[in-house]
Amino acid sequence: MKATRIWRYLSAGALAMTAFGVLQPALAADGKALLEAKCKVCHLPDDNGVQRRIGYQRKTPEGWLMTIARMQIMHGLEISDDDRRTLVKYLADTQGLAPAEAEGLRYAMERRLNTIEEFDTQSKEMCGRCHSPSRFALQRRTAKEWEHLVHFHLGQWPSLEYQAMSRDRDWLELALKEMVPTLAERYGLDDPAWSKWQQERPAPTALVGRWSFSGHMPTRGDLHGVMSVEGGEGDNFRISLDGRYADGKPFKGKGSAILFTGHEWRANVEIDGVAMRQVFSVVNGEMKGRMFETEHDERGLDFVAAKSDQARLLAVQPEFLKAGEEAELTLVGSGLSGKPDFGPGVQLVKVLEQSPERLVVKVRAAADAAPGSREVKLGKLSGPSLAVYKRIDEVKVVPGYAIARIGDNGGATPKVQGRFEAEGWATDAAGKAYRVGILPASWSVEPFNERAAEDEDVKFAGVMQKDGVFLPGDAGPNPARRMSTNNAGNLKVIAEVEDGGQTLKGEGQLIVTVQRWNNPPLP
Amino acid sequence: MNNKNRFALVSTLALLAALQAHADTSGKALVKGHEYMAVTNTPNNLHLIDLKTESVYKTCEMPDRFGPGTLFISPDKTRAYVLNNNYRDIYGVELDTCKQVFHARLAQKAGEDARSMFSFTVSADGKELYAVANPMQRAIDHYVVGEPRMQVYSTDAGLDAKLLRSFPVPRQSYVMQAADDGSLYLAGPDIYKIDPKTGERTVALASRNWQRPGYSAPDVLYFWPHQQPNRDFTLLYTAARFADEKQDPETAEYLYGYMNINLKTGKTEVRDFAPLTELYFTGLRSPKDPNLMYGVLNRLTKYDIAKQQLIKAQELDHSYYCIAFNHAGDKVYLAGTFNDIGIHDAESLEKIGSIKLPGGDMAVSTTQVFIR
């Protein structure tokens, strides 16, 4: 119970402040003093003068937060929320991960919980069967520290060596003799990337200014705008966002941010009355990551931003154009000037609007424009691509495999929605399939298999809305169901897309399951 | 007296009456020759159910925290030994009086945490109690997992039971039972026969390391050490039987089987009894007909072992983990999960009654049926 409460609180944005100015900037001196005062009782300095355990690990802000929270839950550490923030900040700054070290694993911090993770079989079976392997892949430790981690796991949860994928093998022996050396080699404490980042990391004031952003919110569409960043003292910032969706509706709000480790940007913002978080990495004048609702992290958007003093082309919205048709395209970036080049067969009809952050143009694609994905150029800038297509050949439901969770109904855990989009694919002249983009679709669900049909999962598990959002059922046993089971279900998610007089069908799978009771910042 | 106060007083009296009724049962002695079923549930109960009336005969209150609540009845049927306090302590309770007469804390030294994964039993002569402790030493800033050890106690060691002796046993050990010849059968990676005097150990039944041509290693998850009147110690397994040497899981047959050790004769048996079509947490053979295997989780089923055929299946109102028979073998009792025990006719499998327990979830508790 206690753990559940603390994680609910922590996941609600403990890394960033709710109101700028209420808190003092976390000074390094405070952090060091707190580390002494709060941790040294147990973590004494060793012969090298390094604080035992703590001094031989590096991790993300979320990783440090989870460690300190565990010390509170399991080991009686008493620390105020403010002090915990200061300590997390200090540890993430002095013992964090360089941008390169977190690459490919940011999905965990960004709460992309439908990610199908790619890890070797042994890591998945030994560790990933209980938690995301990103938890250890986002840490750096000495071999001795990885060994401590194994002992901690089995000591804390003795049943783990009896579970499936443990009881068929000598788990402890494999963990100590195979996993520990593997982890120490892959994720050792000392890494040149970290020493390099410590030299290179820019002053926080380099982040102050205007940032042009582009985003895509699944089931809602593209958006773009400008985020203004002020402050910077003690790595704290005030931010305001002024943007709009493709349909013209505003996307506006204000908040505050903290920069950890010189690049880990965490913010709390209120957008049109909804509390949201930002989890970005900011490197070389580019911010990238995900924004999501504080209470519903499944509702969010991919976000990329470029600082005004960096000329950069971020996105073309929409990202596709049908051969033989005329359309309005928006180029989003910073330092935009000149006329865009969309390649042969796509003619620039008119520039409708031009600013350094936004270029709106009318274009026409010739009927015989070569189908395929092409790079868009604007002067020296490039990056985003435009898909020109004649017809859609395939529709994919994204995500192709997703989890939604029952909730509410008087319980402590909110429902987790499923959110789906239909992604069109076409074939180029060489016969190669290419992604066109997100297309409007009609949505429905069907039982995934015979069992789901028999158990009437479609009736009980929830409702698929017109916009591709699936609202799961209420939590708790349902007397109307066989064996009073809860409203779980196994569903086929079906998208139907109309294109050129044909209807194309895409299918995905949605597992509607029970609440995630233990929901720490890193899954 | 206003209505509100009157209501409060009535409630208090009702509560007192309930407490009184509850307290009353603890001193009720069991009746010799009567058949009982013992089971534990949250928050801290040990219930004794009279199987003649199929109602709760008495309830003993257990100390400390609940879990897992696995229990054994002493060979003379006067005591229950219960693993509780989150797998950390074993308690002995005198059934006639509910008096606690034995208590062993598995941890042996300061800073040690030791838990037993359902791994304990009482000797056939009732004199010794055995438990496997999985120790972990808490240092000031780290844990060190230690080697599992068998801890041997005298059952008359009282409330602060000290070890008679101890010896190392393999990791991943779980349920065990004691044979009439004094040896101990311990399930772990394999099923071992252990001399509890010396710690000498042989493999009685290979499990992870079995060599059955054409079979995968079995998967065993079995935490319900039923004390059966015929002295069978039974565990269920699942395994794949491959079509050929290629061992392709796609074309393999998946099977349910049981491993059995007769604690009277020492005879061992490994036998498939059904295709794997659904999961069972527990399964037992009928006391009336050893060719009949009953299994339960989401359905109650009955198999003909020789034919490896499903004879009957009964839908259930909710999941049940733990199966048990009365001595006559004409009734099946389903426990575990909630706080109601389902009574089923062993022939038709139909539900013929239910016993509602005071308290909450029985979780993974084992029901033990015995005649006082």
Side-chain angles (χ1 to χ4, degrees), chain A residues 113-295:
Chain A
L113 299 187
N114 283 318
T115 305
I116 308 283
E117 299 180 282
E118 299 284 338
F119 279 89
D120 61 285
T121 306
Q122 192 173 36
S123 298
K124 278 199 273 194
E125 293 187 353
M126 294 293 287
C127 318
R129 65 185 172 80
C130 288
H131 57 73
S132 161
S134 65
R135 275 212 210 162
F136 61 77
L138 284 171
Q139 292 191 44
R140 299 295 181 272
R141 290 169 177 248
T142 58
K144 187 71 200 166
E145 275 307 312
W146 287 117
E147 190 185 310
H148 280 318
L149 191 73
V150 169
H151 281 274
F152 150 66
H153 273 75
L154 191 51
Q156 190 89 63
W157 297 284
S159 63
L160 82 75
E161 54 177 345
Y162 296 84
Q163 294 164 355
M165 289 189 274
S166 274
R167 61 176 177 262
D168 60 346
R169 66 196 77 182
D170 191 340
W171 188 91
L172 182 61
E173 176 94 356
L174 290 172
L176 291 173
K177 301 232 167 106
E178 292 185 18
M179 283 312 293
V180 166
T182 302
L183 292 168
E185 200 202 316
R186 280 190 208 156
Y187 312 115
L189 182 69
D190 299 318
D191 192 313
W194 175 241
S195 350
K196 194 162 164 265
W197 175 249
Q198 284 176 298
Q199 304 295 319
E200 281 174 1
R201 56 197 269 182
T205 43
L207 272 55
V208 172
R210 275 167 73 83
W211 294 74
S212 171
F213 68 84
S214 164
H216 177 79
M217 185 183 281
T219 74
R220 183 66 184 83
D222 294 334
L223 52 92
H224 62 264
V226 170
M227 180 166 90
S228 304
V229 175
E230 294 172 39
E233 310 79 31
D235 293 341
N236 293 297
F237 304 88
R238 286 181 298 275
I239 55 174
S240 65
L241 290 93
D242 187 357
R244 66 189 198 208
Y245 291 98
D247 63 10
K249 294 235 169 75
F251 180 85
K252 279 188 177 194
K254 279 186 182 189
S256 55
I258 304 183
L259 188 70
F260 297 85
T261 331
H263 72 102
E264 292 287 3
W265 172 276
R266 302 291 184 272
N268 282 334
V269 284
E270 195 173 293
I271 301 286
D272 306 319
V274 178
M276 293 188 86
R277 303 195 60 206
Q278 293 181 333
V279 176
F280 304 150
S281 180
V282 46
V283 184
N284 292 333
E286 187 178 91
M287 266 191 205
K288 211 172 171 182
R290 187 166 175 261
M291 269 181 85
F292 48 85
E293 290 186 17
T294 306
E295 283 298 318

Side-chain angles (χ1 to χ4, degrees), chain A residues 199-418:
Chain A
Q199 304 295 319
E200 281 174 1
R201 56 197 269 182
T205 43
L207 272 55
V208 172
R210 275 167 73 83
W211 294 74
S212 171
F213 68 84
S214 164
H216 177 79
M217 185 183 281
T219 74
R220 183 66 184 83
D222 294 334
L223 52 92
H224 62 264
V226 170
M227 180 166 90
S228 304
V229 175
E230 294 172 39
E233 310 79 31
D235 293 341
N236 293 297
F237 304 88
R238 286 181 298 275
I239 55 174
S240 65
L241 290 93
D242 187 357
R244 66 189 198 208
Y245 291 98
D247 63 10
K249 294 235 169 75
F251 180 85
K252 279 188 177 194
K254 279 186 182 189
S256 55
I258 304 183
L259 188 70
F260 297 85
T261 331
H263 72 102
E264 292 287 3
W265 172 276
R266 302 291 184 272
N268 282 334
V269 284
E270 195 173 293
I271 301 286
D272 306 319
V274 178
M276 293 188 86
R277 303 195 60 206
Q278 293 181 333
V279 176
F280 304 150
S281 180
V282 46
V283 184
N284 292 333
E286 187 178 91
M287 266 191 205
K288 211 172 171 182
R290 187 166 175 261
M291 269 181 85
F292 48 85
E293 290 186 17
T294 306
E295 283 298 318
H296 275 275
D297 57 28
E298 76 275 24
R299 297 206 287 248
L301 59 130
D302 305 317
F303 183 100
V304 60
K307 194 150 178 281
S308 57
D309 54 11
Q310 309 254 339
R312 202 163 293 186
L313 186 56
L314 293 171
V316 180
Q317 298 176 350
E319 53 194 336
F320 51 83
L321 180 61
K322 192 164 188 177
E325 290 188 356
E326 209 172 77
E328 210 176 283
L329 299 179
T330 302
L331 279 68
V332 184
S334 60
L336 306 184
S337 65
K339 285 184 177 172
D341 177 6
F342 299 100
V346 178
Q347 188 201 339
L348 176 67
V349 179
K350 200 178 174 188
V351 174
L352 300 169
E353 202 186 315
Q354 182 143 24
S355 76
E357 284 109 14
R358 211 159 85 105
L359 180 57
V360 186
V361 293
K362 184 171 263 183
V363 293
R364 184 181 303 126
D368 60 354
S373 183
R374 50 183 71 201
E375 199 170 46
V376 176
K377 292 191 179 113
L378 183 69
K380 283 183 193 154
L381 304 179
S382 62
S385 54
L386 179 72
V388 175
Y389 72 103
K390 279 201 170 69
R391 63 186 192 109
I392 301 294
D393 294 316
E394 194 194 347
V395 169
K396 290 182 184 174
V397 168
V398 284
Y401 180 83
I403 301 277
R405 293 176 189 274
I406 56 174
D408 300 331
N409 200 23
T413 311
K415 292 177 183 183
V416 176
Q417 302 172 351

Side-chain angles (χ1 to χ4, degrees), chain B residues 152-204:
Chain B
V152 182
Y153 300 90
S154 164
T155 51
D156 56 21
L159 295 179
D160 184 21
K162 300 280 186 286
L163 291 189
L164 287 178
R165 56 193 181 275
S166 80
F167 49 85
V169 287
R171 292 211 75 80
Q172 298 166 306
S173 290
Y174 49 106
V175 288
M176 66 165 101
Q177 291 209 41
D180 292 357
D181 68 359
S183 58
L184 199 52
Y185 288 91
L186 171 69
D190 292 313
I191 299 179
Y192 309 99
K193 182 178 183 177
I194 295 174
D195 180 343
K197 298 266 177 297
T198 62
E200 200 183 312
R201 180 172 80 231
T202 55
V203 172

Side-chain angles (χ1 to χ4, degrees), chain B residues 243-264:
Chain B
D244 50 42
E245 303 83 71
K246 276 183 258 167
Q247 306 215 333
D248 181 2
E250 291 292 315
T251 56
E253 272 181 282
Y254 289 86
L255 299 166
Y256 246 115
Y258 66 89
M259 295 177 181
N260 197 79
I261 293 151
N262 188 277
L263 300 168
K264 197 157 52 188

